[in-house]
Amino acid sequence: MTQLIIIGCYLGLLLGLGLFASTLSRKTSGDYLLASHSIGPFLLLMSIFGTTMTAFALVGSTGESFKEGVGVYGMLASSSGIIHSLCFFVLGIPLWRLGRRNGYRTQIEFFRDRLESDKIGVLLFPILVALVIPYLLIGVMAAGGVINGVTSGIVKPGDDGLTVIKPTFEPGTFPEFLENGDDGTYATGSKGGVPRQVASLVICGVVLIYVFFGGMRGTAWANAFQTIVFMVLGIVTFCVLAFKIGNSGLPPDAEPLSFFDSLKRASEAIPFEKATRSEISQSAFLTYMFVPLSVGMFPHLFQHWLTAKSAESFKLPIVCHPVFIMIVWVPCVLVGAWATSDLVKVPPPVQANPNLLLPFLVKSQVGPVLTGFLTAGILAAIMSSLDSQFLCIGTMFTQDMALHYGGKERFSDGATTWIARGFIILVVALTYGFSLFEPRAVFTLGVWCFSGFAALTPLAFAAVYWRGLTKAGAYASVLAVAVSWAILFYQSDFAADRDFRVVIPYRGVAYETMPVLTMFVCSAVSLIAVSLFTKRPADETLAKFFPAK
Amino acid sequence: MRFVVWLIVLGLAVAHQDVWNWEDKTLVFGFVPVTLAYHAGISASAAVTWFLATKFAWPRDPFAEPEADMKPPVPRAMGRPKADEFEGAPG
């Protein structure tokens, strides 16, 4: 119960921050959606970093390291340090300049203008929303799983069948189907903790409230606060777990090891295949480099870019982002690898669902007070992404659908804000509904979602740097992504096959590649081929985006 | 220098594919597997590289007036009058 009280206090604090930020609001839709372009370097760094680091970074990386070993860091973290900053540099800055000059609020407004295509939004909007939903799902699922994991008891066989020892809630507190799960074996039940369905709902509610009241300004403040929380508590978690795991299994009368010796003992116990990349295909590792390109097309990141006060504000995020990734990922990956050693006894349900590894370790290795704080840190990482995504999809619907096709004169500024809020609730309800079904691994789902966005990135690059991009080329590229993504996702049994790869045979050798490569190539080739044979936008349009030679 | 910065970025992307560490279980400082330590180094190097990029390869606004960029700083005594020095400005 102690950890639940701490989590509750943290959520209350967050609501207070959102409400405080709302008192700073200028009460205009421009302030609600883009914080009146007033965000400076520090807040931009923290909000962009908080937004890109989600459950995927903490819960997902720990779980994936447990499954695949420490090579996970190279697959996504170090490559992101290079590629994310590259995207901020070559896309973020020019798009911010174009956005400020031409008054864009969303990606679709930019593409519509750049391509002289009124209907590009009709094609792009559902695809972007469909790709954001799995991203939201990652956060909603992980939040429920983490809260349930740290508040649940231990299931043991008793005289009357299975019983739960040390539950937070007595049996009968929640409906039976939530407590006992689908089959009555507790496998999917709450095990005496907060049911994951209830926990997910509470987290969605808290994020919705502070996004509704604070808008982008509240979101940026909350993101900065939460980023600090999860970075600090992440390091604390790492130190505590290192000490506990490094000292586990010692004789009862032995002197406890020092912190440094604990680190050494824990790492020496990592099996060979988890301490190296012996089980990771080199070609798959290489093609993972395409996945972080997704930040170039994340609609919520585009919106964050537009909040910047000046182009100079980008310098700090560009430089610090790789180091911040390192600070968060290295401890998580090490902890996941330590859990593969004989020093940690991971129960079968956790082995089967790597999303549960971090909450399991936190709960089993530290006391309830620290567990509460550390859980708050994990939730901070999750919520700092959910809020931007919620706000972004609301903005997109309002600007790109309701106002554009419904007519700007039909809605007042206040009504615009309420349309955004209404659509946010609709999408959150949809996402929450999906989260109630069979959970997928956070990492796998994340990679599919990021792959879709990454495959759309050639469109963003071409729109900024290539005069030859045409409307037809853009449509061909988006459709190529949609079709290739759908086919490959279907072939992977809707992400159930965690190790799905596209195998490319070459000179008798079969090279395993990530699906993102196929999608990216389909997108880029379609874009270039069709653009070369179709009509370019008018010179007056191009003059808005490219200076006269 | 701009060219050098982009060359370093490319070099980082190539260095990222460190096949020579693939099956090396050495522990750096006694507790960090070498594959993890190497890639943490890639992250740190990326930060340094992007710092150089912001110093030497910062993208100029293509729509900015070229004359404004090249104009030497105006000495303060000869600079534009402050707002309240305009004729008719409130005193």
Side-chain angles (χ1 to χ4, degrees):
Chain A
M1 188 54 88
T2 310
Q3 55 267 47
L4 201 55
I5 293 169
I6 294 171
I7 294 168
C9 290
Y10 176 72
L11 296 179
L13 192 66
L14 205 54
L15 285 177
L17 189 72
L19 296 178
F20 168 72
S22 74
T23 63
L24 305 175
S25 169
R26 297 174 195 170
K27 311 292 180 199
T28 62
S29 60
D31 197 76
Y32 184 79
L33 302 175
L34 296 175
S36 303
H37 308 286
S38 63
I39 302 296
F42 178 73
L43 218 47
L44 190 66
L45 163 68
M46 300 308 263
S47 55
I48 285 180
F49 181 71
T51 301
T52 48
M53 292 297 116
T54 173
F56 187 78
L58 294 179
V59 179
S61 64
T62 312
E64 197 66 11
S65 173
F66 176 72
K67 284 277 179 196
E68 303 284 350
V70 296
V72 167
Y73 184 89
M75 285 200 303
L76 267 169
S78 59
S79 55
S80 295
I82 304 168
I83 305 289
H84 284 187
S85 290
L86 175 75
C87 289
F88 300 162
F89 200 85
V90 300
L91 286 177
I93 297 167
L95 286 173
W96 175 85
R97 285 176 174 150
L98 290 169
R100 284 304 300 270
R101 187 174 301 116
N102 301 324
Y104 303 132
R105 287 180 173 182
T106 66
Q107 266 173 327
I108 289 175
E109 283 182 339
F110 162 68
F111 285 119
R112 194 180 275 144
D113 211 13
R114 167 70 179 83
L115 300 167
E116 291 180 334
S117 170
D118 190 59
K119 298 290 185 292
I120 187 77
V122 178
L123 177 66
L124 212 46
F125 177 78
I127 291 176
L128 292 176
V129 172
L131 285 172
V132 166
I133 285 178
Y135 202 171
L136 287 173
L137 201 53
I138 295 166
V140 172
M141 272 170 25
V146 166
I147 295 179
N148 173 254
V150 298
T151 54
S152 60
I154 303 158
V155 180
K156 285 205 168 166
D159 296 338
D160 307 323
L162 295 174
T163 52
V164 179
I165 300 165
K166 293 186 187 172
T168 302
F169 296 101
E170 292 303 318
T173 310
F174 297 100
E176 195 181 340
F177 72 96
L178 293 178
E179 292 188 343
N180 296 348
D182 307 328
D183 52 4
T185 63
Y186 294 107
T188 54
S190 64
K191 308 177 193 70
V194 181
R196 63 180 178 84
Q197 298 89 337
V198 175
S200 293
L201 193 63
V202 170
I203 293 298
C204 286
V206 169
V207 179
L208 276 177
I209 290 171
Y210 79 72
V211 166
F212 279 11
F213 281 99
M216 180 50 94
R217 193 179 295 280
T219 299
W221 279 83
N223 270 353
F225 170 68
Q226 300 202 91
T227 303
I228 294 167
V229 167
F230 79 71
M231 287 181 79
V232 171
L233 290 178
I235 292 168
V236 172
T237 310
F238 171 73
C239 294
V240 173
L241 289 179
F243 190 76
K244 291 282 182 181
I245 294 172
N247 277 285
S248 66
L250 289 175
D253 54 343
E255 281 283 309
L257 297 174
S258 68
F259 176 68
F260 188 65
D261 287 338
S262 307
L263 285 173
K264 284 168 61 171
R265 182 165 181 260
S267 290
E268 281 164 1
I270 302 172
F272 173 80
E273 65 277 12
K274 304 296 179 191
T276 63
R277 280 167 282 173
S278 62
E279 292 185 340
I280 298 175
S281 146
Q282 289 188 0
S283 50
F285 185 87
L286 174 66
T287 51
Y288 247 105
M289 278 285 269
F290 285 85
V291 176
L293 281 169
S294 52
V295 298
M297 270 302 284
F298 278 160
H300 50 284
L301 213 53
F302 183 93
Q303 201 174 344
H304 269 294
W305 288 341
L306 290 188
T307 64
K309 193 188 284 180
S310 67
E312 297 285 309
S313 302
F314 280 85
K315 286 186 175 174
L316 193 64
I318 286 169
V319 174
C320 293
H321 194 79
V323 178
F324 275 30
I325 291 177
M326 181 176 73
I327 293 171
V328 171
W329 276 70
V330 167
C332 289
V333 168
L334 261 183
V335 165
W338 290 339
T340 61
S341 71
D342 296 337
L343 299 176
V344 182
K345 298 278 177 284
V346 180
V350 179
Q351 288 185 23
N353 184 359
N355 299 350
L356 300 177
L357 181 68
L358 190 58
F360 161 76
L361 288 173
V362 167
K363 194 186 172 204
S364 61
Q365 302 288 334
V366 301
V369 174
L370 201 50
T371 300
F373 280 111
L374 301 181
T375 309
I378 298 171
L379 293 178
I382 294 170
M383 290 191 291
S384 63
S385 301
L386 284 180
D387 52 13
S388 303
Q389 292 157 350
F390 283 4
L391 188 64
C392 168
I393 50 177
T395 309
M396 281 163 57
F397 180 73
T398 314
Q399 295 296 129
D400 302 328
M401 296 287 121
L403 293 187
H404 185 75
Y405 296 109
K408 286 184 180 169
E409 61 288 345
R410 283 180 57 193
F411 304 102
S412 67
D413 212 40
T416 305
T417 309
W418 278 105
I419 291 172
R421 289 172 176 169
F423 189 71
I424 292 170
I425 291 179
L426 184 72
V427 172
V428 172
L430 198 64
T431 308
Y432 178 74
F434 286 140
S435 78
L436 301 180
F437 295 107
E438 187 193 355
R440 294 277 187 252
V442 162
F443 195 90
T444 313
L445 206 54
V447 168
W448 275 102
C449 160
F450 298 160
S451 298
F453 282 115
L456 287 169
T457 305
L459 177 61
F461 274 101
V464 172
Y465 292 103
W466 189 33
R467 287 168 182 267
L469 172 67
T470 67
K471 178 168 75 175
Y475 276 80
S477 171
V478 175
L479 287 172
V481 173
V483 172
S484 57
W485 192 93
I487 292 172
L488 294 170
F489 192 61
Y490 173 76
Q491 287 181 348
S492 76
D493 195 13
F494 304 100
D497 179 1
R498 295 176 74 256
D499 300 318
F500 179 78
R501 303 282 185 267
V502 176
V503 178
I504 300 176
Y506 181 71
R507 292 189 175 182
V509 182
Y511 292 95
E512 288 186 352
T513 64
M514 294 303 294
V516 65
L517 177 69
T518 306
M519 296 179 218
F520 189 91
V521 170
C522 289
S523 165
V525 169
S526 311
L527 184 145
I528 295 168
V530 176
S531 291
L532 287 175
F533 296 102
T534 46
K535 189 169 168 278
R536 289 185 181 198
D539 288 343
E540 308 87 74
T541 303
L542 289 176
K544 284 171 70 179
F545 299 91
F546 301 95
K549 284 179 182 171
Chain B
M1 194 60 193
R2 186 177 290 261
F3 175 74
V4 174
V5 168
W6 288 114
L7 210 57
I8 297 173
V9 173
L10 190 65
L12 269 181
V14 174
H16 180 269
Q17 192 73 6
D18 58 328
V19 288
W20 54 91
N21 284 328
W22 220 261
E23 301 203 348
D24 187 348
K25 206 206 162 189
T26 308
L27 294 175
V28 179
F29 306 123
F31 74 96
V32 190
V34 68
T35 189
L36 183 59
Y38 178 87
H39 280 274
I42 292 272
S43 296
S45 308
V48 174
T49 305
W50 289 117
F51 173 74
L52 294 175
T54 59
K55 283 282 172 198
F56 302 109
W58 189 247
R60 196 181 64 81
D61 186 351
F63 286 92
E65 292 294 325
E67 308 87 72
D69 282 357
M70 292 185 292
K71 198 181 280 181
V74 181
R76 190 161 184 78
M78 296 166 63
R80 287 166 49 189
K82 290 175 190 167
D84 57 358
E85 290 170 353
F86 280 115
E87 195 179 326

